[in-house]
Amino acid sequence: MTTEATLPSTSVSPTARQLWTRSRGIALALLVLLAGAVTVATVRSDARHGELDPRSADPLGSRAVTALLADRGVTTRLVTTLAEARAATGPDTTLLVAVPDRLTERQQRLLHSATTGSGGRTVLVAAGGWSVGTLAPGVTADPATSRDSTLDPGCDLPAARRAGPADTGGIRYTSTRPDADECYPSSRLPTLLRLPDTAGQGDTVLLGGPDILLNERLDEQGNASLALQLLGSRPHLVWYLPSLSDTTATGPEDEKSFFDLVPSGWLWGTLQLFVAAALAALWRARRLGPLVPEQLPVAIRASETVEGRARLYRKANAGDRAAAALRSTTRTRLAPLVGIPVAQAHTPEALVPALSAHLHGDGRPLHSLLFGPPPSDDADLVSLADRLDALEREVRRP
């Protein structure tokens, strides 16, 4: 009995145990990464809790400086909205803006209009390029920050000369105003800048870094002296901590999409992850090319393969498919013997006349044998297989 020279294919679905065995390593690695991320986030959250908050006794809080100011009769009030900050401006008030870059452009303009001509002092802590141009016109923030934290005064401002060296290193500024006091320079650019208010008796002080206000750094260098002089020149201190939830002074132009709120570093990191994933997929993807024979782990005799395939056909009651396989394989082997291309082996108009000429017959039995209807039962199938074998032997006979 002849059949197609193909191996039977089987499909075995993996069990739940096998799936767990394969994926437990990846699951464990993901769990460790998640635990590490949660731990780092918790530690960093605890470390930054209350940063520049005058109520916080944490190392990065500012409760110590407000306590010293209170001993000198200066009252401190914490505000978190722009409306409260604007209402508190006045000649007897120092307004400290802790994180100016959190303010939107419209909030910056409103705050600047409220402080201009008020007669009070405005202290901007670590104002970057986003806010310094609006809150302090004529001043720009240098992209490169100071390399050193502790710097010498290098100016004639009385508060700086009395304080001496202090930890003002951070953002460096450039001013076009000739009346500005430029102090604590780093590479010839000041990290503390005082701008007199031309519309009143007040002024604006830009502080490049927050170190002199932090609890952990207040007792170092001349930090305490400089902080008390900058914040204690008026009897009242209003400590403004801008909040991202403050929408009382926002307009349509301040509305931002989700991607505007995501830091640029996260966007670039996500892009790099996508590129890495694409490269990994390209590296691990299946290469397209010619088939490569693979050595089977167990040698299977051809007779066993034919027997097994025949049993499958019989079990499925697929006599028509078995007959089609027998006829197709026979036609494929006979075509080259009678001078017909293999591509035309399954075309009756090409194969039957060539066989008839080779066997000197009329062709009608050949057409019925090679392209006829399927057998009705197993006996007819066996008879068909015998007749096909006899035909092939006759064609091969010299």
Side-chain angles (χ1 to χ4, degrees):
M1 184 177 182
T2 59
T3 186
E4 294 177 314
T6 56
L7 293 175
S9 59
T10 58
S11 176
V12 180
S13 299
T15 63
R17 182 183 182 89
Q18 291 174 330
L19 289 175
W20 166 246
T21 303
R22 296 174 185 175
S23 60
R24 61 185 177 183
I26 299 177
L28 180 61
L30 292 176
L31 184 61
V32 172
L33 288 176
L34 180 61
V38 171
T39 302
V40 172
T42 302
V43 171
R44 293 188 64 182
S45 176
D46 291 341
R48 297 179 64 85
H49 174 69
E51 183 176 5
L52 281 179
D53 192 325
R55 302 164 300 181
S56 174
D58 293 341
L60 298 182
S62 301
R63 183 175 177 179
V65 68
T66 58
L68 294 178
L69 288 171
D71 293 340
R72 288 159 176 75
V74 178
T75 61
T76 302
R77 181 164 67 96
L78 175 66
V79 298
T80 57
T81 64
L82 180 61
E84 294 175 314
R86 296 183 65 200
T89 57
D92 59 347
T93 301
T94 298
L95 175 64
L96 182 144
V97 185
V99 192
D101 286 356
R102 288 184 184 173
L103 300 173
T104 65
E105 292 184 4
R106 185 167 184 266
Q107 289 175 326
Q108 295 171 20
R109 292 194 299 269
L110 291 174
L111 181 62
H112 179 65
S113 64
T115 56
T116 301
S118 65
R121 167 170 288 181
T122 303
V123 179
L124 305 176
V125 181
W130 168 254
S131 60
V132 68
T134 304
L135 295 176
V139 179
T140 57
D142 192 78
T145 58
S146 171
R147 294 183 179 179
D148 301 322
S149 174
T150 303
L151 301 171
D152 294 322
C155 67
D156 295 331
L157 184 66
R161 295 184 63 183
R162 285 192 292 266
D167 295 322
T168 61
I171 299 177
R172 304 182 305 168
Y173 300 103
T174 302
S175 175
T176 59
R177 293 182 52 175
D179 58 346
D181 293 312
E182 300 179 351
C183 302
Y184 296 97
S186 173
S187 299
R188 293 183 291 186
L189 291 180
T191 58
L192 188 149
L193 197 64
R194 177 185 172 275
L195 306 172
D197 189 354
T198 57
Q201 300 299 317
D203 57 12
T204 299
V205 177
L206 287 91
L207 188 60
D211 290 359
I212 68 171
L213 306 176
L214 304 180
N215 295 331
E216 63 178 1
R217 305 292 295 274
L218 190 62
D219 61 344
E220 300 177 5
Q221 309 299 330
N223 295 347
S225 174
L226 183 61
L228 293 178
Q229 293 181 78
L230 294 179
L231 303 183
S233 62
R234 271 81 172 168
H236 304 293
L237 171 63
V238 176
W239 199 292
Y240 178 28
L241 278 178
S243 172
L244 296 177
S245 60
D246 181 18
T247 59
T248 56
T250 57
E253 66 274 13
D254 296 322
E255 296 181 0
K256 298 182 179 180
S257 65
F258 171 77
F259 292 102
D260 293 331
L261 298 177
V262 176
S264 59
W266 284 92
L267 296 178
W268 283 110
T270 304
L271 178 60
Q272 292 176 6
L273 287 178
F274 276 113
V275 173
L279 292 177
L282 182 62
W283 168 53
R284 299 295 296 176
R286 186 182 300 275
R287 300 312 195 260
L288 300 179
L291 295 178
V292 178
E294 181 180 359
Q295 185 69 30
L296 294 176
V298 179
I300 302 176
R301 291 183 298 176
S303 59
E304 293 181 1
T305 302
V306 173
E307 233 180 282
R309 189 67 174 267
R311 287 196 184 100
L312 290 175
Y313 278 132
R314 185 174 183 179
K315 184 177 181 180
N317 195 23
D320 54 343
R321 297 186 182 180
L326 291 171
R327 284 170 168 157
S328 175
T329 305
T330 301
R331 294 194 299 264
T332 302
R333 287 199 293 260
L334 290 177
L337 298 177
V338 296
I340 299 298
V342 178
Q344 299 181 6
H346 309 294
T347 305
E349 294 78 6
L351 182 62
V352 173
L355 281 172
S356 299
H358 186 81
L359 299 175
H360 307 287
D362 58 3
R364 283 180 291 180
L366 295 177
H367 187 284
S368 176
L369 177 60
L370 294 173
F371 298 96
S376 59
D377 53 23
D378 290 347
D380 290 344
L381 180 61
V382 174
S383 175
L384 174 63
D386 292 339
R387 291 163 58 197
L388 290 173
D389 284 339
L391 174 63
E392 188 173 349
R393 285 196 299 271
E394 185 177 357
V395 173
R396 291 180 182 274
R397 186 179 303 161

